[in-house]
Every structure is written in structure tokens, then in C-alpha cells.
Amino acid sequence: TRSTRPQRMLKAVQKKATKGDPESVISAIDYFCKHSEWAMNVGDEKGSILDSVVTEVNPSTVLELGTYCGYSTVRIARLLSPGTKFITLEFNPANVTIARQIIAYAGLQDKVTVVEGSSGDLIPQMKERFGITTFDFIFLDHWKDRYLPDIKLFEECGLLRKGSVLLADNVICPGAPEYLEYVRNSPRYESRYYPAHLEYTKVEDGLEKSVFLE
Ligand SMILES: Nc1ncnc2c1ncn2CCOCCNC(=O)c1cc(-c2ccc(F)cc2)cc(O)c1O
Ligand SMILES: [Mg+2]
């Protein structure tokens, strides 16, 4: 049967990238998406903004929602200090399998734990399953209509601390209007928009960075 796009993306990484070299894995995926098949990775333009925020925060605990094939997982993991706890959640088991292979090809398998499941189910389990008290940095890149319920879940589960940084992809395209309205109007967050474009296109999109103030 016909291969899937994530499977073809993994093949492109294995063919073009150098094992153990995260930069070459990132470049191989971006090349594949620009010249072969578009895919919903955060991409190079928004990825550079992600890099700068991760570097600025220098987090000890990180959560990513929506692993997909592991492109942003590799971008984040390559920047983390040794000993950082990094968890990424992916709903689709086929994507979990591909992501683990792409992350391992980059040599970053010891830096991150890929967990299969939905954010709504797993967020309340973070403390008991992973011994996390609070997250310093959270990257939201999963179902766009889960951004708002999940940020409220983070608050309810006591997973945010003063200064926790949330960075949300796709706040314009596909869009997360209710989330934007919430973080921009809540007194508990300081929010800033980083304009960019939908990965590998000229369509407007951007990232919203929100700092928890409580
Ligand atoms: N652990 C979890 N819990 C809950 N849900 C979960 C989960 N893990 C995964 N999921 C399910 C959803 O995962 C993928 C979400 N990402 C996107 O849908 C996405 C779409 C576009 C896009 C597509 C088509 C266009 F025309 C224009 C833009 C661009 C992007 O950058 C996107 O990120
Ligand atoms: Mg995205």
C-alpha cells in the first residue's frame, strides 16, 4: 500500500541528513517540504522564532503539544541544557513511531520523551507520571480548538508558575481566535505576537508568546 507523508519525510531524513546531526535533520525536512511535499511542521521562519524564545527562556522543564513528525521537537531539544526534562505529546500512534525515529536519527532520543495520547487526558497526569511540578516552557502546536481548554487545564492543574512561557503556533492560520482573545485579555498573562508566515508559504501566520504572571 502507498506510503504516508510522514513515512516519506522519514525516508528523506535518512537519505539526506547526517546521523547525529540535528541541523542536517532540520534542513532535510525543510528541503523535503519546500521541494517535495508540504507538511505541517513549524518550518524554518517560525522555527527561528521558536529557537530564540527557547534560548531566552533556557527552561528546565518543557512540554510540547503536537509532536507530529518531531521537527519542532528536534529544534527544541537541540537547544536544551543537559538535565532538562522535555515531554512531547502526540495523539496519532503512526506519527509517534515516525517522530521517535526522526528524533533518534538526530541523536536526541535521550533528551525527550514522546508520549502517545491526547492533551486533555495527559496534562492532568504530568505530575504523577513524570514528576513534573511546573513547566517553564510550553509549545502549543496541536488541535487549534484545544489551545484554550488546555491552557485552562494547565492553570487548574497548577502546572504554571510565575514566568512560565507559553508559545502557540498557528494563531492566525488555521487560527486559534478564542485562545488569542483569552491570553490577550486576561490579567494573568503578558502576551506578544510574532508575525511570520504559514510554514513554507506566503500565507500570514504567527506565534503568540504568553508569560504567566500569577
Ligand atoms: N497530544 C495531542 N492532543 C490533542 N491533539 C493532538 C495531539 N497531538 C496531535 N493532535 C492532533 C492535531 O495535531 C496536528 C495539529 N496541527 C495542525 O493541525 C496544523 C495545521 C496546519 C495547516 C493545515 C492545513 C492548512 F491549509 C493550513 C495550515 C498548520 C500547522 O502548523 C499545524 O500545526
Ligand atoms: Mg503548527
Side-chain angles (χ1 to χ4, degrees):
T1 55
R2 182 168 157 67
S3 66
T4 66
R5 184 166 305 182
Q7 285 171 328
R8 295 192 291 273
M9 189 186 299
L10 171 61
K11 285 272 169 302
V13 166
Q14 293 167 333
K15 185 160 181 267
K16 294 269 181 42
T18 305
K19 212 164 170 35
D21 175 6
E23 301 302 331
S24 72
V25 169
I26 292 164
S27 302
I29 293 173
D30 285 333
Y31 187 92
F32 173 82
C33 292
K34 286 173 187 170
H35 302 285
S36 303
E37 303 180 62
W38 185 92
M40 59 181 172
N41 314 118
V42 74
D44 47 347
E45 185 190 19
K46 290 187 289 179
S48 298
I49 299 167
L50 170 63
D51 290 357
S52 62
V53 174
V54 171
T55 303
E56 170 207 337
V57 175
N58 186 27
S60 302
T61 51
V62 180
L63 178 65
E64 174 182 59
L65 303 179
T67 316
Y68 185 43
C69 296
Y71 174 89
S72 50
T73 319
V74 166
R75 289 201 78 111
I76 294 168
R78 85 194 202 283
L79 299 173
L80 299 178
S81 309
T84 303
K85 199 136 184 68
F86 180 13
I87 295 164
T88 181
L89 308 182
E90 175 52 50
F91 176 75
N92 179 323
N95 291 350
V96 168
T97 303
I98 298 295
R100 284 184 173 139
Q101 294 175 78
I102 287 179
I103 292 160
Y105 199 87
L108 297 168
Q109 66 285 349
D110 296 338
K111 296 258 180 185
V112 58
T113 306
V114 184
V115 183
E116 181 188 330
S118 80
S119 54
D121 296 339
L122 291 169
I123 288 170
Q125 298 178 15
M126 283 297 126
K127 292 189 189 235
E128 62 187 303
R129 273 181 72 172
F130 304 100
I132 298 272
T133 48
T134 58
F135 284 106
D136 298 333
F137 179 74
I138 298 171
F139 182 52
L140 296 92
D141 194 20
H142 60 327
W143 274 320
K144 308 315 161 192
D145 61 7
R146 283 297 314 176
Y147 285 19
L148 182 56
D150 286 346
I151 193 170
K152 291 183 174 174
L153 202 49
F154 288 128
E155 293 174 18
E156 286 153 25
C157 298
L159 286 165
L160 304 179
R161 50 110 176 136
K162 185 173 168 41
S164 288
V165 173
L166 296 98
L167 189 66
D169 189 24
N170 311 117
V171 294
I172 304 300
C173 177
E178 301 89 355
Y179 174 82
L180 276 189
E181 204 269 334
Y182 180 75
V183 290
R184 290 178 175 173
N185 297 304
S186 165
R188 306 176 75 181
Y189 295 88
E190 183 61 47
S191 243
R192 177 185 164 184
Y193 177 63
Y194 293 79
H197 299 88
L198 176 69
E199 48 269 26
Y200 318 114
T201 77
K202 292 188 169 55
V203 173
E204 186 189 347
D205 189 21
L207 301 168
E208 186 82 1
K209 175 187 161 191
S210 306
V211 183
F212 189 63
L213 303 171
E214 197 69 340

